[in-house]
Amino acid sequence: MRRTRIFYPRSRPQIVDQFLRFGIVGALGFFVDWASVDLLRPEIGLIAATIGAYFTAATFNWVLNRLWTFRSTAADNQHLILQWLHFLLANSFGFLLNRGAVFLLYALVPFTVTYPVVALAIGAGCGMLANFNLSRRLVFRAKVPETPMELVQMAVEIPAAGLTSPEPEPQIPLSQENSEVFQQKAP
């Protein structure tokens, strides 16, 4: 059965290259996150600063991923605001992993409240793989879905052949002895 892929790149070396670029962008985004928390913390407190900094860093990451990591598929296929919203929505699972780890560390390890950079680094690592896969499959793709079924295909790579009736099972010819036994048992 042949699987179709609607997102790009397709080869393993291209995906590895894309993942490395995504990681570099994520590392830069981590510094934006950290700086935002440090700037906002005195004004609005640690918890609100941590939440607000995520959206600042996510927006920064979206811009760099659009311009560099996914440039071959992200250029003209969506309106900018819609793509940014898709990016935030697609990465909401990564947000839960990232900020969940951060807030858990704040609650369990008092050291991280004093030095939030530690919690932010661990949180960034927790959400990275999920964010890469979701961004690649749902946000930065070569083709924008025109129907809900296309969106499902893009998200989970449903084989095109699987959308129709299943292939018939091959007929296995019975030997002369087996066919006689089978006929005798049949009513």
Side-chain angles (χ1 to χ4, degrees):
M1 187 178 297
R2 186 172 161 252
R3 294 177 61 124
T4 60
R5 292 187 180 194
I6 302 175
F7 54 91
Y8 298 94
R10 292 181 179 185
S11 72
R12 189 173 305 272
Q14 289 174 324
I15 293 170
V16 169
D17 178 61
Q18 206 174 55
F19 182 74
L20 291 174
R21 288 173 186 249
F22 190 84
I24 291 168
V25 169
L28 294 172
F30 161 73
F31 288 111
V32 170
D33 194 15
W34 179 21
S36 298
V37 168
D38 279 351
L39 289 172
L40 294 171
R41 183 178 185 177
E43 303 298 323
I44 61 176
L46 181 61
I47 302 301
T50 301
I51 293 171
Y54 176 84
F55 292 102
T56 303
T59 300
F60 174 83
N61 286 0
W62 167 72
V63 169
L64 286 185
N65 280 321
R66 179 180 169 80
L67 296 175
W68 187 47
T69 307
F70 300 106
R71 70 181 177 270
S72 63
T73 58
D76 297 319
N77 66 353
Q78 291 184 52
H79 186 274
L80 286 175
I81 301 298
L82 288 177
Q83 189 180 58
W84 175 71
L85 291 172
H86 284 157
F87 183 79
L88 292 178
L89 183 62
N91 290 297
S92 60
F93 180 66
F95 169 81
L96 292 175
L97 292 173
N98 181 323
R99 288 315 192 230
V102 170
F103 290 127
L104 188 63
L105 288 168
Y106 286 169
L108 299 177
V109 184
F111 171 81
T112 60
V113 173
T114 307
Y115 300 100
V117 64
V118 175
L120 294 171
I122 292 170
C126 288
M128 183 178 171
L129 189 59
N131 284 342
F132 174 70
N133 284 317
L134 292 168
S135 293
R136 183 172 174 265
R137 293 174 184 242
L138 298 176
V139 181
F140 301 109
R141 55 188 181 265
K143 181 181 174 191
V144 177
E146 295 176 9
T147 66
M149 184 52 93
E150 276 188 10
L151 178 61
V152 170
Q153 274 186 284
M154 289 176 182
V156 296
E157 290 187 325
I158 297 173
L163 295 176
T164 60
S165 61
E167 295 179 25
E169 295 198 18
Q171 297 294 327
I172 301 172
L174 297 174
S175 66
Q176 182 70 11
E177 294 172 6
N178 288 340
S179 69
E180 289 173 5
V181 170
F182 181 73
Q183 288 176 352
Q184 289 173 358
K185 290 182 181 179

